PDB file of all heavy atoms in Angstrom:
ATOM      1  N   LEU A   1       0.804  -1.220   0.008  1.00  0.00           N
ATOM      2  CA  LEU A   1      -0.001   0.007  -0.004  1.00  0.00           C
ATOM      3  C   LEU A   1       0.852   1.276  -0.002  1.00  0.00           C
ATOM      4  O   LEU A   1       0.383   2.326  -0.479  1.00  0.00           O
ATOM      5  CB  LEU A   1      -0.910   0.011   1.216  1.00  0.00           C
ATOM      6  CG  LEU A   1      -2.025  -1.041   1.263  1.00  0.00           C
ATOM      7  CD1 LEU A   1      -2.780  -0.940   2.566  1.00  0.00           C
ATOM      8  CD2 LEU A   1      -2.961  -0.881   0.094  1.00  0.00           C
ATOM      9  N   GLU A   2       2.048   1.184   0.527  1.00  0.00           N
ATOM     10  CA  GLU A   2       2.894   2.351   0.675  1.00  0.00           C
ATOM     11  C   GLU A   2       4.296   2.040   0.161  1.00  0.00           C
ATOM     12  O   GLU A   2       5.249   1.891   0.913  1.00  0.00           O
ATOM     13  CB  GLU A   2       2.973   2.789   2.157  1.00  0.00           C
ATOM     14  CG  GLU A   2       1.684   3.237   2.758  1.00  0.00           C
ATOM     15  CD  GLU A   2       1.279   4.637   2.301  1.00  0.00           C
ATOM     16  OE1 GLU A   2       2.123   5.324   1.701  1.00  0.00           O
ATOM     17  OE2 GLU A   2       0.133   5.024   2.546  1.00  0.00           O
ATOM     18  N   PRO A   3       4.472   1.954  -1.152  1.00  0.00           N
ATOM     19  CA  PRO A   3       5.785   1.581  -1.705  1.00  0.00           C
ATOM     20  C   PRO A   3       6.894   2.504  -1.264  1.00  0.00           C
ATOM     21  O   PRO A   3       8.068   2.078  -1.133  1.00  0.00           O
ATOM     22  CB  PRO A   3       5.564   1.663  -3.219  1.00  0.00           C
ATOM     23  CG  PRO A   3       4.099   1.488  -3.414  1.00  0.00           C
ATOM     24  CD  PRO A   3       3.470   2.117  -2.215  1.00  0.00           C
ATOM     25  N   GLU A   4       6.580   3.775  -1.003  1.00  0.00           N
ATOM     26  CA  GLU A   4       7.622   4.726  -0.569  1.00  0.00           C
ATOM     27  C   GLU A   4       8.156   4.414   0.811  1.00  0.00           C
ATOM     28  O   GLU A   4       9.157   4.996   1.257  1.00  0.00           O
ATOM     29  CB  GLU A   4       7.091   6.134  -0.601  1.00  0.00           C
ATOM     30  CG  GLU A   4       6.021   6.426   0.455  1.00  0.00           C
ATOM     31  CD  GLU A   4       5.358   7.789   0.242  1.00  0.00           C
ATOM     32  OE1 GLU A   4       4.626   7.945  -0.716  1.00  0.00           O
ATOM     33  OE2 GLU A   4       5.631   8.645   1.074  1.00  0.00           O
ATOM     34  N   ALA A   5       7.518   3.474   1.509  1.00  0.00           N
ATOM     35  CA  ALA A   5       7.993   3.127   2.867  1.00  0.00           C
ATOM     36  C   ALA A   5       9.300   2.374   2.818  1.00  0.00           C
ATOM     37  O   ALA A   5      10.048   2.378   3.790  1.00  0.00           O
ATOM     38  CB  ALA A   5       6.939   2.276   3.568  1.00  0.00           C
ATOM     39  N   ALA A   6       9.624   1.717   1.695  1.00  0.00           N
ATOM     40  CA  ALA A   6      10.873   0.956   1.608  1.00  0.00           C
ATOM     41  C   ALA A   6      12.069   1.871   1.833  1.00  0.00           C
ATOM     42  O   ALA A   6      12.218   2.903   1.156  1.00  0.00           O
ATOM     43  CB  ALA A   6      10.967   0.312   0.222  1.00  0.00           C
ATOM     44  N   GLY A   7      12.884   1.516   2.794  1.00  0.00           N
ATOM     45  CA  GLY A   7      14.026   2.335   3.140  1.00  0.00           C
ATOM     46  C   GLY A   7      13.697   3.559   3.958  1.00  0.00           C
ATOM     47  O   GLY A   7      14.580   4.342   4.285  1.00  0.00           O
ATOM     48  N   ASN A   8      12.427   3.737   4.297  1.00  0.00           N
ATOM     49  CA  ASN A   8      12.003   4.911   5.067  1.00  0.00           C
ATOM     50  C   ASN A   8      11.239   4.458   6.306  1.00  0.00           C
ATOM     51  O   ASN A   8      10.126   4.862   6.548  1.00  0.00           O
ATOM     52  CB  ASN A   8      11.125   5.822   4.187  1.00  0.00           C
ATOM     53  CG  ASN A   8      10.791   7.141   4.891  1.00  0.00           C
ATOM     54  OD1 ASN A   8      11.482   7.549   5.799  1.00  0.00           O
ATOM     55  ND2 ASN A   8       9.726   7.790   4.434  1.00  0.00           N
ATOM     56  N   GLY A   9      11.869   3.573   7.033  1.00  0.00           N
ATOM     57  CA  GLY A   9      11.232   3.010   8.234  1.00  0.00           C
ATOM     58  C   GLY A   9      10.791   1.609   8.050  1.00  0.00           C
ATOM     59  O   GLY A   9      10.460   0.912   9.030  1.00  0.00           O
ATOM     60  N   VAL A  10      10.768   1.094   6.797  1.00  0.00           N
ATOM     61  CA  VAL A  10      10.333  -0.278   6.517  1.00  0.00           C
ATOM     62  C   VAL A  10      11.469  -1.009   5.859  1.00  0.00           C
ATOM     63  O   VAL A  10      12.014  -0.527   4.848  1.00  0.00           O
ATOM     64  CB  VAL A  10       9.081  -0.291   5.625  1.00  0.00           C
ATOM     65  CG1 VAL A  10       8.714  -1.722   5.244  1.00  0.00           C
ATOM     66  CG2 VAL A  10       7.929   0.388   6.333  1.00  0.00           C
ATOM     67  N   PRO A  11      11.910  -2.149   6.357  1.00  0.00           N
ATOM     68  CA  PRO A  11      13.005  -2.867   5.722  1.00  0.00           C
ATOM     69  C   PRO A  11      12.616  -3.340   4.333  1.00  0.00           C
ATOM     70  O   PRO A  11      11.555  -3.876   4.122  1.00  0.00           O
ATOM     71  CB  PRO A  11      13.235  -4.052   6.674  1.00  0.00           C
ATOM     72  CG  PRO A  11      11.974  -4.191   7.434  1.00  0.00           C
ATOM     73  CD  PRO A  11      11.374  -2.832   7.541  1.00  0.00           C
ATOM     74  N   SER A  12      13.496  -3.116   3.365  1.00  0.00           N
ATOM     75  CA  SER A  12      13.230  -3.515   1.988  1.00  0.00           C
ATOM     76  C   SER A  12      13.903  -4.839   1.660  1.00  0.00           C
ATOM     77  O   SER A  12      13.765  -5.331   0.541  1.00  0.00           O
ATOM     78  CB  SER A  12      13.719  -2.433   1.032  1.00  0.00           C
ATOM     79  OG  SER A  12      15.075  -2.126   1.266  1.00  0.00           O
ATOM     80  N   GLY A  13      14.644  -5.403   2.584  1.00  0.00           N
ATOM     81  CA  GLY A  13      15.317  -6.676   2.368  1.00  0.00           C
ATOM     82  C   GLY A  13      15.685  -7.298   3.693  1.00  0.00           C
ATOM     83  O   GLY A  13      15.450  -6.733   4.770  1.00  0.00           O
ATOM     84  N   ARG A  14      16.291  -8.448   3.645  1.00  0.00           N
ATOM     85  CA  ARG A  14      16.628  -9.150   4.856  1.00  0.00           C
ATOM     86  C   ARG A  14      17.925  -8.599   5.494  1.00  0.00           C
ATOM     87  O   ARG A  14      18.784  -8.065   4.806  1.00  0.00           O
ATOM     88  CB  ARG A  14      16.733 -10.638   4.614  1.00  0.00           C
ATOM     89  CG  ARG A  14      17.938 -11.060   3.768  1.00  0.00           C
ATOM     90  CD  ARG A  14      18.058 -12.566   3.676  1.00  0.00           C
ATOM     91  NE  ARG A  14      19.254 -12.947   2.928  1.00  0.00           N
ATOM     92  CZ  ARG A  14      20.460 -13.047   3.478  1.00  0.00           C
ATOM     93  NH1 ARG A  14      20.631 -12.780   4.763  1.00  0.00           N
ATOM     94  NH2 ARG A  14      21.495 -13.405   2.754  1.00  0.00           N
ATOM     95  N   ARG A  15      18.049  -8.793   6.788  1.00  0.00           N
ATOM     96  CA  ARG A  15      19.267  -8.426   7.494  1.00  0.00           C
ATOM     97  C   ARG A  15      20.331  -9.505   7.262  1.00  0.00           C
ATOM     98  O   ARG A  15      20.015 -10.658   6.997  1.00  0.00           O
ATOM     99  CB  ARG A  15      18.988  -8.302   8.990  1.00  0.00           C
ATOM    100  CG  ARG A  15      18.268  -7.059   9.419  1.00  0.00           C
ATOM    101  CD  ARG A  15      18.135  -6.988  10.909  1.00  0.00           C
ATOM    102  NE  ARG A  15      17.510  -5.742  11.320  1.00  0.00           N
ATOM    103  CZ  ARG A  15      18.176  -4.626  11.579  1.00  0.00           C
ATOM    104  NH1 ARG A  15      19.478  -4.612  11.426  1.00  0.00           N
ATOM    105  NH2 ARG A  15      17.538  -3.524  11.939  1.00  0.00           N
ATOM    106  N   PRO A  16      21.602  -9.114   7.366  1.00  0.00           N
ATOM    107  CA  PRO A  16      22.675 -10.138   7.333  1.00  0.00           C
ATOM    108  C   PRO A  16      22.475 -11.180   8.410  1.00  0.00           C
ATOM    109  O   PRO A  16      21.909 -10.906   9.477  1.00  0.00           O
ATOM    110  CB  PRO A  16      23.957  -9.319   7.589  1.00  0.00           C
ATOM    111  CG  PRO A  16      23.602  -7.911   7.181  1.00  0.00           C
ATOM    112  CD  PRO A  16      22.147  -7.752   7.489  1.00  0.00           C
ATOM    113  N   LEU A  17      22.919 -12.389   8.154  1.00  0.00           N
ATOM    114  CA  LEU A  17      22.898 -13.551   9.065  1.00  0.00           C
ATOM    115  C   LEU A  17      21.533 -14.204   9.157  1.00  0.00           C
ATOM    116  O   LEU A  17      21.403 -15.213   9.881  1.00  0.00           O
ATOM    117  CB  LEU A  17      23.373 -13.160  10.488  1.00  0.00           C
ATOM    118  CG  LEU A  17      24.775 -12.573  10.598  1.00  0.00           C
ATOM    119  CD1 LEU A  17      25.094 -12.316  12.074  1.00  0.00           C
ATOM    120  CD2 LEU A  17      25.833 -13.500  10.020  1.00  0.00           C
ATOM    121  N   THR A  18      20.514 -13.707   8.473  1.00  0.00           N
ATOM    122  CA  THR A  18      19.181 -14.262   8.647  1.00  0.00           C
ATOM    123  C   THR A  18      18.808 -15.294   7.587  1.00  0.00           C
ATOM    124  O   THR A  18      17.679 -15.718   7.496  1.00  0.00           O
ATOM    125  CB  THR A  18      18.118 -13.139   8.635  1.00  0.00           C
ATOM    126  OG1 THR A  18      18.201 -12.416   7.417  1.00  0.00           O
ATOM    127  CG2 THR A  18      18.334 -12.181   9.791  1.00  0.00           C
ATOM    128  N   ALA A  19      19.800 -15.711   6.767  1.00  0.00           N
ATOM    129  CA  ALA A  19      19.607 -16.801   5.835  1.00  0.00           C
ATOM    130  C   ALA A  19      20.341 -18.033   6.330  1.00  0.00           C
ATOM    131  O   ALA A  19      21.302 -17.962   7.118  1.00  0.00           O
ATOM    132  CB  ALA A  19      20.123 -16.425   4.447  1.00  0.00           C
ATOM    133  N   GLU A  20      19.870 -19.206   5.920  1.00  0.00           N
ATOM    134  CA  GLU A  20      20.450 -20.479   6.386  1.00  0.00           C
ATOM    135  C   GLU A  20      21.933 -20.552   6.078  1.00  0.00           C
ATOM    136  O   GLU A  20      22.364 -20.209   4.979  1.00  0.00           O
ATOM    137  CB  GLU A  20      19.706 -21.627   5.744  1.00  0.00           C
ATOM    138  CG  GLU A  20      20.140 -23.003   6.248  1.00  0.00           C
ATOM    139  CD  GLU A  20      19.291 -24.139   5.689  1.00  0.00           C
ATOM    140  OE1 GLU A  20      18.425 -23.831   4.827  1.00  0.00           O
ATOM    141  OE2 GLU A  20      19.511 -25.281   6.085  1.00  0.00           O
ATOM    142  N   GLY A  21      22.732 -20.965   7.065  1.00  0.00           N
ATOM    143  CA  GLY A  21      24.152 -21.172   6.873  1.00  0.00           C
ATOM    144  C   GLY A  21      25.012 -19.956   7.207  1.00  0.00           C
ATOM    145  O   GLY A  21      26.229 -20.100   7.450  1.00  0.00           O
ATOM    146  N   GLU A  22      24.445 -18.747   7.217  1.00  0.00           N
ATOM    147  CA  GLU A  22      25.251 -17.557   7.433  1.00  0.00           C
ATOM    148  C   GLU A  22      25.803 -17.473   8.860  1.00  0.00           C
ATOM    149  O   GLU A  22      26.929 -17.043   9.062  1.00  0.00           O
ATOM    150  CB  GLU A  22      24.447 -16.319   7.094  1.00  0.00           C
ATOM    151  CG  GLU A  22      24.189 -16.140   5.601  1.00  0.00           C
ATOM    152  CD  GLU A  22      23.429 -14.867   5.285  1.00  0.00           C
ATOM    153  OE1 GLU A  22      22.707 -14.352   6.174  1.00  0.00           O
ATOM    154  OE2 GLU A  22      23.578 -14.370   4.171  1.00  0.00           O
ATOM    155  N   LEU A  23      24.990 -17.832   9.840  1.00  0.00           N
ATOM    156  CA  LEU A  23      25.458 -17.784  11.228  1.00  0.00           C
ATOM    157  C   LEU A  23      26.569 -18.809  11.444  1.00  0.00           C
ATOM    158  O   LEU A  23      27.550 -18.522  12.140  1.00  0.00           O
ATOM    159  CB  LEU A  23      24.278 -18.027  12.172  1.00  0.00           C
ATOM    160  CG  LEU A  23      24.497 -17.712  13.655  1.00  0.00           C
ATOM    161  CD1 LEU A  23      24.923 -16.253  13.846  1.00  0.00           C
ATOM    162  CD2 LEU A  23      23.253 -18.029  14.464  1.00  0.00           C
ATOM    163  N   ARG A  24      26.423 -19.993  10.858  1.00  0.00           N
ATOM    164  CA  ARG A  24      27.485 -20.980  10.965  1.00  0.00           C
ATOM    165  C   ARG A  24      28.787 -20.463  10.346  1.00  0.00           C
ATOM    166  O   ARG A  24      29.858 -20.612  10.934  1.00  0.00           O
ATOM    167  CB  ARG A  24      27.065 -22.260  10.290  1.00  0.00           C
ATOM    168  CG  ARG A  24      28.124 -23.363  10.325  1.00  0.00           C
ATOM    169  CD  ARG A  24      27.789 -24.556   9.454  1.00  0.00           C
ATOM    170  NE  ARG A  24      28.869 -25.537   9.537  1.00  0.00           N
ATOM    171  CZ  ARG A  24      28.825 -26.588  10.328  1.00  0.00           C
ATOM    172  NH1 ARG A  24      27.767 -26.811  11.093  1.00  0.00           N
ATOM    173  NH2 ARG A  24      29.837 -27.452  10.385  1.00  0.00           N
ATOM    174  N   GLU A  25      28.685 -19.859   9.167  1.00  0.00           N
ATOM    175  CA  GLU A  25      29.871 -19.326   8.509  1.00  0.00           C
ATOM    176  C   GLU A  25      30.542 -18.250   9.378  1.00  0.00           C
ATOM    177  O   GLU A  25      31.783 -18.171   9.405  1.00  0.00           O
ATOM    178  CB  GLU A  25      29.479 -18.721   7.148  1.00  0.00           C
ATOM    179  CG  GLU A  25      29.072 -19.800   6.114  1.00  0.00           C
ATOM    180  CD  GLU A  25      28.556 -19.167   4.832  1.00  0.00           C
ATOM    181  OE1 GLU A  25      28.581 -17.913   4.733  1.00  0.00           O
ATOM    182  OE2 GLU A  25      28.103 -19.913   3.962  1.00  0.00           O
ATOM    183  N   LEU A  26      29.720 -17.456  10.056  1.00  0.00           N
ATOM    184  CA  LEU A  26      30.309 -16.437  10.939  1.00  0.00           C
ATOM    185  C   LEU A  26      31.118 -17.086  12.054  1.00  0.00           C
ATOM    186  O   LEU A  26      32.246 -16.665  12.337  1.00  0.00           O
ATOM    187  CB  LEU A  26      29.172 -15.615  11.564  1.00  0.00           C
ATOM    188  CG  LEU A  26      29.576 -14.589  12.626  1.00  0.00           C
ATOM    189  CD1 LEU A  26      30.387 -13.476  11.991  1.00  0.00           C
ATOM    190  CD2 LEU A  26      28.379 -14.027  13.366  1.00  0.00           C
ATOM    191  N   PHE A  27      30.593 -18.123  12.674  1.00  0.00           N
ATOM    192  CA  PHE A  27      31.301 -18.803  13.750  1.00  0.00           C
ATOM    193  C   PHE A  27      32.576 -19.450  13.231  1.00  0.00           C
ATOM    194  O   PHE A  27      33.587 -19.523  13.918  1.00  0.00           O
ATOM    195  CB  PHE A  27      30.408 -19.807  14.432  1.00  0.00           C
ATOM    196  CG  PHE A  27      29.722 -19.292  15.665  1.00  0.00           C
ATOM    197  CD1 PHE A  27      29.201 -18.019  15.687  1.00  0.00           C
ATOM    198  CD2 PHE A  27      29.597 -20.083  16.818  1.00  0.00           C
ATOM    199  CE1 PHE A  27      28.598 -17.510  16.821  1.00  0.00           C
ATOM    200  CE2 PHE A  27      28.998 -19.573  17.932  1.00  0.00           C
ATOM    201  CZ  PHE A  27      28.497 -18.299  17.951  1.00  0.00           C
ATOM    202  N   GLU A  28      32.543 -19.962  11.990  1.00  0.00           N
ATOM    203  CA  GLU A  28      33.709 -20.619  11.430  1.00  0.00           C
ATOM    204  C   GLU A  28      34.858 -19.636  11.260  1.00  0.00           C
ATOM    205  O   GLU A  28      36.025 -20.015  11.399  1.00  0.00           O
ATOM    206  CB  GLU A  28      33.356 -21.261  10.077  1.00  0.00           C
ATOM    207  CG  GLU A  28      32.487 -22.506  10.206  1.00  0.00           C
ATOM    208  CD  GLU A  28      31.992 -23.022   8.862  1.00  0.00           C
ATOM    209  OE1 GLU A  28      32.090 -22.262   7.884  1.00  0.00           O
ATOM    210  OE2 GLU A  28      31.534 -24.168   8.812  1.00  0.00           O
ATOM    211  N   THR A  29      34.571 -18.378  10.991  1.00  0.00           N
ATOM    212  CA  THR A  29      35.639 -17.356  10.795  1.00  0.00           C
ATOM    213  C   THR A  29      36.352 -17.043  12.096  1.00  0.00           C
ATOM    214  O   THR A  29      37.444 -16.464  12.064  1.00  0.00           O
ATOM    215  CB  THR A  29      35.070 -16.070  10.193  1.00  0.00           C
ATOM    216  OG1 THR A  29      34.198 -15.428  11.147  1.00  0.00           O
ATOM    217  CG2 THR A  29      34.323 -16.350   8.909  1.00  0.00           C
ATOM    218  N   THR A  30      35.771 -17.370  13.238  1.00  0.00           N
ATOM    219  CA  THR A  30      36.376 -17.024  14.528  1.00  0.00           C
ATOM    220  C   THR A  30      37.412 -18.034  15.000  1.00  0.00           C
ATOM    221  O   THR A  30      38.144 -17.772  15.949  1.00  0.00           O
ATOM    222  CB  THR A  30      35.298 -16.890  15.621  1.00  0.00           C
ATOM    223  OG1 THR A  30      34.755 -18.211  15.886  1.00  0.00           O
ATOM    224  CG2 THR A  30      34.201 -15.956  15.186  1.00  0.00           C
ATOM    225  N   GLY A  31      37.430 -19.202  14.382  1.00  0.00           N
ATOM    226  CA  GLY A  31      38.322 -20.258  14.829  1.00  0.00           C
ATOM    227  C   GLY A  31      37.683 -21.201  15.832  1.00  0.00           C
ATOM    228  O   GLY A  31      38.344 -22.107  16.363  1.00  0.00           O
TER     229      GLY A  31
END
């Protein structure tokens, strides 16, 4: 209903780490 909301208080995409495997990859980089 409000396309202009994208990027103006409404997320237009997903945050980092919220897809499958990304959190595991993050932990792998720490050793």
Side-chain angles (χ1 to χ4, degrees):
L1 292 177
E2 296 285 348
E4 67 188 70
N8 187 21
V10 176
S12 55
R14 68 175 184 84
R15 285 183 176 273
L17 302 181
T18 59
E20 185 174 3
E22 289 183 334
L23 192 58
R24 179 190 180 97
E25 291 174 3
L26 175 68
F27 265 42
E28 288 173 346
T29 66
T30 69

